[in-house]
Structure formats: C-alpha cells, structure tokens
Amino acid sequence: MGFALLLGLLLSRAGDLLALPRSDCIAAEQLCLLDSTCNGTYRILENCALAKTRFLPLDHDSRVQCLNAELDLGNSSLQHCKCHRRMKREEHCLRVFWTIHSSMTDGYFNLETSPYENSASEDHWKTDYNKLAALLSGSQLARDATNPCVKATHVCNLSKKCVRLRTEYASICTKGAGSEDVCDRRKCHRGLRNFFEKVPEDFTKRILFCPCQDELCGERRRKTIVPNCSFQYSTKPNCLWLLDSCLEDHICKSRLADFQQNCQPADTSPDGCSQHSHAACLQAYMGMIGTPMTPNYVSNSSAEVSLWCTCENSGNEKEKCDQILGMFENSKCLENAIWSQMHLKQQTALERQEDFFYSSSLSFQGDSASTSLASEMSQVAEGKIQRDISKHSSMPMASSVYSGAAVSWPSLALFLPLWLSPH
C-alpha cells in the first residue's frame, strides 16, 4: 500500500511537470528535488544564494563549495531554465533562477542574462485597444481631449481591466502622497506592477509614453506613476543604496537583469540597441516601474528619464555609481526606444531641447516644485465624468467592475483627476 501511494504521488507530480513549459525553472527544480544527488547539490546552492542576498561574507572554502555546486549542476535542466512574465508563482521561479546563477551577482554589472524567456517567443495578448480607440475617435470626448496623455487614458477608461487596475494603484499611491509617514511605498509599487504586468501593452505604452508638445501634457505624463509616493524620497539617496535594495529583492534584481540585457546600447547598431528591439527595451523599462529602482521622467518639459538618486559622496565607488545612473540617463538604446514609441523624429540634442523646453518648467529635481496628485483631486468636477461615461453607455462600463465593492463613478472621479480634469 505504501509503495502504491508513493507511485501515485510521483505520477501526479510528473503530470504537473508535463503541464509546465520545459524551460520553466519551477518544473526544473521539482525534477531536481526528485534526484538525491541533484537535491543535495541544489540545497548547497540555496545556502550560497541566501548568503549573497543578505550580503554575508563567505570564507574561501565556502566560496569554493558554492562554485563547485554550480558547476555540478551545469548539465542539468536547471542550468538553462527561464521564467515567464506574468506566470503564476513568478517570484518562486525567479528565486530558483538566482539560486542556480548566484555567481552572476558577484559584481554590480554582471546581470546581463535575463531570467525571463525571450519576449518574442511568448504569446502576445489579443487586445481590444484599436476597437475602443475607434469607438472613442468619433465622440465628443475625443474632440475635447487635445492632450495625448488624456486621450490614452480615455481609451483605458473604456477597458474594464485597465481602468480597474489604474484606479487601484492611483487610490493606493495618492493616499498620503508626498508624506513618507503616510504613503505606503511598498503597496504603491505592488499596485503599479499589477497595472503594468496585467494590462496589455497596447494600453500601458500609450499612457506612459504619450507624445507631448506642451508642459501640461508633460506634467500628466510624469505623474502617471504618482511619483510623490512611488519615485521620490524627501532627499535623494545614493544610487548605490538603490542598487543594494534592488539586489535584495528577486523581482527587482530580475527586472534589472532584463533591463540591462534588452536596453544594452550598441554604437554600431542603427537602432542603438545590442538586441535590436525597441519593443523589448520598453517592456524591460516598464518592468522596472514598481521596484526600488523605479525610473521616471526628469521634468514636465522633457522625454528624458532617470532614477531618483545621486552619486554625491560615493567615495571610491563613484564610477560604479555613475554607471548605474548612466543606464537610464545615457543609454542611446533606451532614448531611441522611447522616442520611437512616441513617434517623434530623430533630432539632435539641441533640437530636442528647443522642442521640449517650456517657459514654466516644473522639474522633479526640486521637491516643492511638483504639485501633488492629492491636491489636484479636489479640482475635478464629477459632472464631467458622468457626462463622458453617459456618451458611451453601450460600451463596457468601469462601474460594473466594482459591483459589490461600493465604488461608484463619483468616487472614481476622486481617484483619477490627473488624467481626466478639463483643460
């Protein structure tokens, strides 16, 4: 009877494994744990990875043991496993990946191998963006919205998933925005990740990379991620501290590796990217939003992006710090990818500065200069929301998403002033 139960358990687990992609790290881990030799070696690597995550020093013998364990698993299915974006148990999968590749985190810039499956090989979402945009194009709502960022969010409001997840993170991130004692940055980051992971890129890219030719539009674009909570601190931390915070988190470390791989600049490449894919670079950039290394636009009058950190007082690690900042500020690949998404012509730096400099620029470099999202909430007229939605009564109504949740359009109006307030 005992043997029959054991056999049944193994067969059931085998069935689960067959249902997973062959390259899946969770499936590879389960196969390894069924083998006593692989299991023992893997447990050694788990301890090695834990020590590195906690920045615990390892003596010479321990380092040799870790290296040998990694080499011993070099021919196993674990060595070549990957994870999939938006997969169930993604964090567990990433933990397995970094357990096997723990030596890749020995240096600051040795994360060039992404733990994620190539985006080109993943299934692409079928979305109704074009249909919703077409429905919107002939409405008064579209004629009223000359701001490209507002137009993009109007289309989002016609998608149940898009408006629900955007409202969720907006409500979390604007609660106490601008006050570190009240703002729950961790929950805000989680809400942002949910939005950018679960809403199709047809919607998220157009909202985050909407092309702007005036400062009002630029301000709305910069405030898309509610920077007072998700991005800024009362004082700028050192970029090395941001990196350390990122490397302690499997999700952030994985997103950083994906960003390094897909936004790696190449001077000899016509598009500026070593991977020759602006789409992959933008996907990796959006993956960084909602992590300790969340990037954002540098001001209301620029399409340039950066981290909220400084390299002052970096001592003998100043060069490393500059490299971290340079991944976002000086990457020709990322710059070209953003400008390509915005459908703007390639220009010289001077031409870009002239096009994007507006007379009353508000930069986030000065904390007090940026108007908080919370203060704008009171300026929204609920009647405008009601009028706009009534014109599209035949379309999917966001209010239906909240059935049973005691959320109405008037209360939704309090959450979304940044995108929907009249000009």
Side-chain angles (χ1 to χ4, degrees), residues 97-304:
F97 179 89
W98 291 115
T99 296
I100 301 304
H101 300 284
S102 58
S103 63
M104 290 172 56
T105 61
D106 284 343
Y108 278 111
F109 303 102
N110 294 330
L111 299 177
E112 290 86 355
T113 300
S114 171
Y116 291 107
E117 197 70 66
N118 189 330
S119 58
S121 65
E122 294 187 340
D123 293 335
H124 293 283
W125 292 346
K126 294 181 179 179
T127 74
D128 56 355
Y129 183 91
N130 290 334
K131 177 181 177 181
L132 295 178
L135 290 172
L136 183 70
S137 63
S139 70
Q140 184 63 36
L141 199 63
R143 291 190 288 272
D144 289 343
T146 57
N147 184 324
C149 296
V150 173
K151 286 184 178 180
T153 52
H154 280 333
V155 179
C156 174
N157 290 337
L158 300 178
S159 164
K160 291 182 178 181
K161 177 179 285 188
C162 187
V163 71
R164 174 173 60 84
L165 293 176
R166 189 165 61 92
T167 302
E168 284 181 4
Y169 87 70
S171 63
I172 294 170
C173 298
T174 55
K175 184 179 181 181
S179 172
E180 292 190 30
D181 295 332
V182 180
C183 165
D184 193 327
R185 192 183 302 270
R186 184 178 295 273
K187 286 186 178 180
C188 177
H189 280 171
R190 188 183 305 120
L192 282 166
R193 291 201 306 272
N194 279 337
F195 177 73
F196 284 101
E197 290 170 8
K198 296 179 180 179
V199 175
E201 290 182 11
D202 281 348
F203 294 89
T204 57
K205 278 185 178 180
R206 286 173 169 86
I207 291 173
L208 189 64
F209 302 113
C210 47
C212 291
Q213 295 296 330
D214 62 73
E215 189 163 296
L216 178 61
C217 176
E219 182 181 19
R220 292 174 183 275
R221 180 175 63 190
R222 183 179 63 81
K223 288 186 177 180
T224 295
I225 65 169
V226 196
N228 282 349
C229 183
S230 69
F231 177 67
Q232 297 172 218
Y233 295 83
S234 57
T235 58
K236 283 189 178 182
N238 189 282
C239 298
L240 296 170
W241 178 84
L242 274 190
L243 179 65
D244 287 344
S245 299
C246 183
L247 296 180
E248 291 176 358
D249 180 86
H250 288 305
I251 290 181
C252 186
K253 180 165 60 176
S254 301
R255 304 295 173 83
L256 178 60
D258 195 53
F259 176 77
Q260 284 186 320
Q261 174 177 295
N262 289 297
C263 293
Q264 181 71 30
D267 293 336
T268 57
S269 174
D271 61 9
C273 300
S274 62
Q275 300 294 316
H276 309 293
S277 175
H278 285 166
C281 179
L282 290 181
Q283 183 183 59
Y285 173 87
M286 290 191 296
M288 294 300 300
I289 297 174
T291 72
M293 292 184 70
T294 293
N296 197 23
Y297 294 99
V298 300
S299 73
N300 298 335
S301 56
S302 174
E304 297 175 357

